[in-house]
Amino acid sequence: MKQLILTALTLIISFSGLAQEQKVQRFTLEEAMAYALENNYKAINAQKDIIDAQKQKWETIAGGLPQIDGALSYQNQLKQPISLIPAEFFGGEPGTFAPIIFGQAQTANATATLKQQIFDGSYIVGVQASKAFISYSANNKEKTDLEVRKAVVEAYGNVLLAKESVAIFEKNREALNKNLYETKKIYENGLGDEESVDQLQITLSSVENQLRNGQRLEKLTLQMLNLVMGLDITTPTVLKEDLDNLTQKEIDLRLLDQELTMENNVDYKLAYNLNEQRFFELKLTKSKALPTLNAFINYGSTAFSQNFDFFNRDQQWFDSSILGFDLSIPIFSSFKRNATTSRAKIALDKAKIQLEEAKENIRLQFENAKSEYLFSIEQYDTSKNNLALAERIEQKNQIKFFEGLASSFELRQAQTQLYTAQQEYLQSMVGVINNKTELETIINN
């Protein structure tokens, strides 16, 4: 009975684990992006960078606040040093010396020191720069989120593309098998030629090869989407949207009328952060020419004993205390500080030029993204119409072929044209989705 219960429990646990492993994840595109922004590996690290920057800011601020250090020391002179003093001090013969030991063998000391920075120009600059560093980390997180969002859109679209391609290849294979079967029957009855059978067989073999490749791509693209989202790549993920409906949702001509606000673009923000960094580096080098002033107060207590009995209540401790100031004044560095300051000034000038260049590049990217987005919409409409035409042409050639009015070569040309139009149509839909995302990334409203 006990063995039966254990077996049942084992089976329950096994099935429970299997159910967990096979849990299906279902996402729309928006849900996939939201999930990735929380679970993508790069997004997680970017968030940790913000926390790290905040800690670094406090680390900088704390450097100028009071610091208290404590110290404990213990010494045991296993062999105490001997000193020689004139023997006549003890009534001995003048000119002779007597050995004597000063002090006791064991010493304990406890000290506490309070330090306070009064003035340091580099500290002031460091506190100011830490705020800029937090801004940089936040902007870097924003850029990472935009890149993750863009990667999810591309991966999601690729999965739908692979899925639709497989469906089309299967449809084409089914039609070709039917045509090949009918053509073989015609040939076997002596009403057709062998070349027609061979032509269809060549086309069928090519489509079957593309189908197998498409099935492999469907699996790989799904694994890529899982990776981008922060899921285990073997997770059985199901997409709630299809390529055609998603494309229709992503066509928004109003987006082409939006103006570019430079301050919203994340690349501009990062270039501006670089200017801030170079500015504070220049201030830091200048601050090195200013004096620094620090204060400290020390309090300690020391005990002496021949044996280790420092914790006895009768042990006598001798207190001491020191108050002091440290003033450091830079006087002459053989023009080293001057050279360092000049280099920092050059770096700031270069950062300003890079900011202007970044602004022009962003404007160009914006105009190019609008053009590409509009072209992808036009290409989508064109490829949709071309697909309808290619389907009609292929159907007409099938009818002509079986009526003996068209050759197998002409039919193969029409089929190849249809297959090309099908892939162009699928690619045009993915192009609309990806180009819209690119434009939205630049605008970043």
Side-chain angles (χ1 to χ4, degrees):
M1 184 65 181
K2 182 179 180 181
Q3 184 64 35
L4 182 62
I5 294 174
L6 288 174
T7 303
L9 287 173
T10 303
L11 289 173
I12 291 171
I13 293 171
S14 299
F15 284 123
S16 175
L18 184 62
Q20 280 188 334
E21 290 176 4
Q22 297 300 322
K23 183 179 180 181
V24 177
Q25 299 280 356
R26 302 175 184 275
F27 298 97
T28 64
L29 178 57
E30 290 296 327
E31 289 170 346
M33 288 189 291
Y35 187 91
L37 291 177
E38 294 292 331
N39 298 279
N40 177 272
Y41 303 113
K42 292 181 179 178
I44 292 173
N45 279 340
Q47 181 61 41
K48 290 184 181 298
D49 286 339
I50 294 179
I51 299 173
D52 181 70
Q54 293 169 341
K55 297 298 182 183
Q56 185 173 339
K57 176 185 176 182
W58 178 248
E59 181 182 357
T60 303
I61 293 173
L65 300 179
Q67 310 289 317
I68 300 176
D69 298 322
L72 294 173
S73 66
Y74 164 75
Q75 293 182 359
N76 186 350
Q77 299 185 49
L78 300 177
K79 192 69 175 177
Q80 289 182 270
I82 296 175
S83 300
L84 296 178
I85 63 171
E88 59 185 299
F89 289 172
F90 304 101
E93 292 291 331
T96 62
F97 294 87
I100 190 172
I101 296 176
F102 288 99
Q104 294 181 301
Q106 301 189 45
T107 306
N109 185 59
T111 308
T113 303
L114 170 64
K115 299 177 183 178
Q116 174 61 57
Q117 181 176 274
I118 297 176
F119 177 80
D120 189 336
S122 62
Y123 170 75
I124 299 172
V125 176
V127 173
Q128 294 173 338
S130 64
K131 298 177 183 178
F133 184 65
I134 290 179
S135 174
Y136 166 78
S137 299
N139 290 332
N140 189 60
K141 173 66 166 65
E142 184 178 356
K143 183 175 179 63
T144 301
D145 287 349
L146 289 172
E147 289 175 347
V148 168
R149 180 178 179 274
K150 183 178 176 182
V152 170
V153 171
E154 291 178 354
Y156 198 99
N158 287 337
V159 175
L160 294 179
L161 173 62
K163 184 178 179 182
E164 291 292 335
S165 295
V166 168
I168 287 175
F169 289 142
E170 289 175 341
K171 179 181 176 183
N172 292 341
R173 182 182 63 176
E174 183 181 351
L176 283 168
N177 277 321
K178 181 180 178 183
N179 291 344
L180 181 59
Y181 174 79
E182 293 175 355
T183 304
K184 282 182 177 180
K185 290 297 182 182
I186 293 172
Y187 171 66
E188 290 170 357
N189 291 327
L191 300 176
D193 55 59
E194 188 177 9
E195 181 184 349
S196 299
V197 177
D198 293 340
Q199 287 281 6
L200 285 171
Q201 186 62 59
I202 290 173
T203 306
L204 177 60
S205 298
S206 177
V207 169
E208 287 179 336
N209 187 48
Q210 290 175 326
L211 173 59
R212 288 191 293 270
N213 185 56
Q215 290 169 337
R216 291 191 295 268
L217 283 176
E218 184 177 8
K219 181 180 178 181
L220 288 172
T221 54
L222 191 58
Q223 290 177 341
M224 179 61 72
L225 176 61
N226 286 339
L227 177 63
V228 172
M229 292 173 60
L231 289 166
D232 188 295
I233 63 171
T234 60
T235 302
T237 305
V238 175
L239 309 190
K240 295 181 181 179
E241 302 188 76
D242 62 68
L243 191 57
D244 186 60
N245 289 337
L246 183 58
T247 302
Q248 295 297 327
K249 286 167 55 178
E250 297 299 299
I251 296 177
D252 184 7
L253 295 177
R254 294 173 300 176
L255 192 61
L256 298 170
D257 297 327
Q258 287 200 27
E259 297 294 329
L260 173 64
T261 303
M262 189 64 66
E263 290 73 18
N264 289 341
N265 184 274
V266 70
D267 290 326
Y268 171 82
K269 293 178 182 179
L270 290 171
Y272 185 80
N273 286 144
L274 178 63
N275 269 258
E276 287 184 316
Q277 178 183 340
R278 296 292 181 260
F279 171 74
F280 286 119
E281 286 174 357
L282 177 59
K283 288 188 69 175
L284 180 62
T285 56
K286 289 180 177 180
S287 70
K288 296 296 178 63
L290 300 175
T292 60
L293 179 61
N294 299 295
F296 68 91
I297 183 170
N298 170 287
Y299 179 84
S301 189
T302 307
F304 306 93
S305 178
Q306 196 63 33
N307 301 307
F308 192 89
D309 50 9
F310 298 106
F311 296 105
N312 292 344
R313 287 189 300 176
D314 296 333
Q315 175 66 49
Q316 188 174 9
W317 289 80
F318 302 93
D319 297 334
S320 63
S321 182
I322 302 173
L323 172 65
F325 296 90
D326 292 324
L327 177 64
S328 176
I329 304 174
I331 297 176
F332 182 64
S333 66
S334 296
F335 302 105
K336 178 183 177 181
R337 284 191 300 273
N338 181 63
T340 304
T341 303
S342 297
R343 291 189 61 200
K345 179 67 167 60
I346 292 171
L348 176 59
D349 291 339
K350 289 171 63 178
K352 290 179 179 179
I353 294 172
Q354 290 172 344
L355 179 62
E356 292 302 316
E357 182 184 18
K359 289 165 66 174
E360 295 306 313
N361 280 332
I362 291 166
R363 290 191 182 99
L364 180 59
Q365 291 171 8
F366 175 62
E367 294 299 327
N368 182 65
K370 286 201 300 183
S371 176
E372 289 293 325
Y373 180 51
L374 181 59
F375 174 73
S376 64
I377 295 174
E378 294 170 344
Q379 187 69 17
Y380 167 70
D381 291 334
T382 301
S383 61
K384 189 174 184 179
N385 293 330
N386 288 345
L387 176 59
L389 292 173
E391 287 174 343
R392 287 207 301 269
I393 292 171
E394 194 270 343
Q395 290 171 358
K396 288 178 181 179
N397 273 274
Q398 274 200 52
I399 295 171
K400 289 180 180 180
F401 172 73
F402 286 110
E403 290 179 351
L405 299 176
S407 67
S408 59
F409 181 75
E410 290 172 323
L411 175 59
R412 175 170 167 75
Q413 278 188 318
Q415 290 171 334
T416 302
Q417 181 176 258
L418 172 62
Y419 302 156
T420 301
Q422 289 170 340
Q423 291 304 311
E424 287 178 350
Y425 176 61
L426 295 179
Q427 290 291 344
S428 69
M429 289 192 283
V430 174
V432 170
I433 297 168
N434 290 342
N435 287 322
K436 184 191 178 188
T437 304
E438 180 68 28
L439 180 55
E440 288 175 333
T441 300
I442 295 172
I443 295 174
N444 190 25
N445 284 338

